[in-house]
Amino acid sequence: MSEPATDLSLRCSRPANLMEVCGTHSHALARYGIKQLLPSGVRMLSGPGCPVCVTPTRDIDLLVALARHEGVTLCTFGDMMRVPGTRSSLSLERAIGADVRVVYSPMEAVEYASADQARQVVFAGVGFETTAPMVAVSVLAAAEAGLTNYSVLSAHKTVPPALSALMEADDVRIDGFLCPGHVSAVIGMHPYEAIAARYRVPCVVAGFEATDLLLGLQMLLDQIDAGKACAENAYERSVRPEGNLHAQTVMAEVFEPCDSEWRGLGRIPDSGLRLRSKYACFDASVRCPMVVEASQDPPGCRCGEVLRGALLPEECPLFASDCTPAAPVGPCMVSTEGACAAAYRYGDPTEVQVPAEAHNV
Ligand code: SF4
């Protein structure tokens, strides 16, 4: 006897715009084809959850300037290599002789600094609350080892202030946030409780497997159907209400909040992390201040709108024509977490799918 078919369809009686905040979610939703299970009138918008994508062009230009600096070894995660700055990229600088190294952990950069103390080793600190604790540990390790040639250019950002900025923007209506599992494992549930209460918007933390995503989305839709707005956890096996207290402590020891510029969202108060003054000797912006000429985003690129859900990747005129993963124009096509890369890889680039109803309100 055959098993009865399982109906995986998601249910909601109202139209809604849901935003997946996390770039890893963007790729998982596309890879598993979950958007096709959404009820009529419910749409997913990609948000500012890819750290490489939200890093503004000026910060890329600063990293390029550092890479060109005599005696500097610049260490970075691989995703940053091909992100275009105004006139160059780290990949291009390496090709013409700069000492730019791809690392898998900031501790590798500390090892480089320890092995060759004649060179200044700078780590490109790009990432959210998932990355910042590792970078904080690298600063503490360098301090303990007495290294004077290791520093961090901190462009770290924190997710909750970006959600508030999105709710206060007037060009996109968001009815629910699918919140990132890995960031939430560090920060816990409390920041979302404050956002849900303040803006009357449901927030559900989800993991990255297909079943995690389906569960998280249905919990969001159930809240919308019931007219509720609270923070819920669909990833309890990894996310505790209080988060990872050790990671929070290490991060708070080394970093303090600061205003930060986001591609697409502008300057958001207290959304960045800078090194505290007691660790100023490990701050590349203090040790090696750089001046860059006026920065300019790639002509025609609309990543800023994609990152706040105001534009679907397929709606960018350059999508899949002038801009592809092999020849990316903007960071959302470069990064393995970028929304444009997800749409290109898992969608049909010859078929532009524009939803029937407008998503800008
Ligand atoms: Fe930018 Fe390319 Fe995406 Fe257009 S398709 S928004 S140019 S990354």
Side-chain angles (χ1 to χ4, degrees):
M1 215 169 96
S2 61
E3 293 285 323
T6 304
D7 180 7
L8 290 176
S9 298
L10 296 157
R11 300 166 306 281
C12 187
S13 62
R14 306 180 186 194
N17 288 338
L18 308 181
M19 175 174 277
E20 87 267 10
V21 178
C22 163
T24 315
H25 275 165
S26 300
H27 278 253
L29 288 165
R31 185 169 70 242
Y32 296 129
I34 288 176
K35 290 183 185 178
Q36 288 148 27
L37 301 174
L38 291 169
S40 168
V42 174
R43 291 178 304 106
M44 296 300 307
L45 307 175
S46 293
C50 157
V52 169
C53 304
V54 294
T55 300
T57 302
R58 183 175 175 279
D59 286 353
I60 311 297
D61 291 343
L62 280 171
L63 290 170
V64 165
L66 272 170
R68 289 177 177 170
H69 204 267
E70 185 69 28
V72 165
T73 295
L74 186 83
C75 294
T76 176
F77 294 136
D79 265 13
M80 288 297 291
M81 289 297 287
R82 291 201 304 154
V83 180
T86 304
R87 285 162 285 275
S88 185
S89 66
L90 294 178
S91 178
L92 192 56
E93 292 303 312
R94 184 169 70 175
I96 58 177
D99 187 3
V100 180
R101 303 183 191 183
V102 172
V103 295
Y104 291 95
S105 158
M107 289 305 292
E108 281 181 64
V110 175
E111 286 166 20
Y112 286 135
S114 178
D116 185 355
Q117 298 190 21
R119 293 190 68 78
Q120 288 295 325
V121 176
V122 179
F123 181 73
V126 172
F128 295 127
E129 292 94 330
T130 37
T131 305
M134 287 192 290
V135 180
V137 166
S138 78
V139 169
L140 295 175
E144 193 175 331
L147 294 177
T148 57
N149 65 326
Y150 176 70
S151 59
V152 173
L153 188 73
S154 179
H156 296 102
K157 302 192 189 307
T158 52
V159 168
L163 303 191
S164 297
L166 283 162
M167 292 308 295
E168 286 171 17
D170 55 10
D171 62 343
V172 181
R173 193 195 77 227
I174 298 165
D175 301 303
F177 286 116
L178 191 70
C179 301
H182 39 23
V183 164
S184 307
V186 175
I187 67 174
M189 295 300 297
H190 303 320
Y192 304 118
E193 289 161 6
I195 289 166
R198 179 168 182 190
Y199 298 104
R200 292 285 309 150
V201 63
C203 298
V204 175
V205 171
F208 302 96
E209 301 298 329
T211 46
D212 293 322
L213 293 164
L214 288 166
L215 175 63
L217 286 170
Q218 191 56 61
M219 287 167 71
L220 264 184
L221 295 172
D222 286 346
Q223 284 200 47
I224 291 168
D225 250 346
K228 286 187 182 170
C230 57
E232 292 183 302
N233 187 358
Y235 198 31
E236 287 183 343
R237 67 184 186 278
S238 295
V239 176
R240 293 192 295 260
E242 71 281 14
N244 183 328
L245 296 178
H246 181 62
Q248 292 170 25
T249 301
V250 169
M251 204 166 31
E253 164 65 22
V254 173
F255 294 113
E256 63 185 2
C258 64
D259 296 353
S260 183
E261 191 77 25
W262 295 56
R263 191 187 299 266
L265 295 175
R267 195 164 193 80
I268 304 178
D270 286 339
S271 67
L273 295 172
R274 68 181 170 213
L275 280 95
R276 292 187 183 276
S277 56
K278 70 195 264 198
Y279 295 105
C281 58
F282 299 102
D283 186 341
S285 69
V286 173
R287 290 180 65 103
C288 206
M290 289 285 137
V291 178
V292 292
E293 294 172 34
S295 296
Q296 193 188 351
D297 291 338
C301 175
R302 298 179 65 179
C303 282
E305 292 159 85
V306 170
L307 288 164
R308 60 176 193 275
L311 190 84
L312 298 176
E314 298 90 336
E315 293 176 295
C316 172
L318 305 187
F319 179 79
S321 54
D322 292 330
C323 182
T324 64
V329 173
C332 295
M333 190 63 90
V334 174
S335 171
T336 53
E337 294 196 349
C340 298
Y344 185 93
R345 182 164 183 195
Y346 300 108
D348 179 356
T350 63
E351 188 180 312
V352 176
Q353 296 176 353
V354 180
E357 69 272 34
H359 54 275
N360 295 345
V361 295

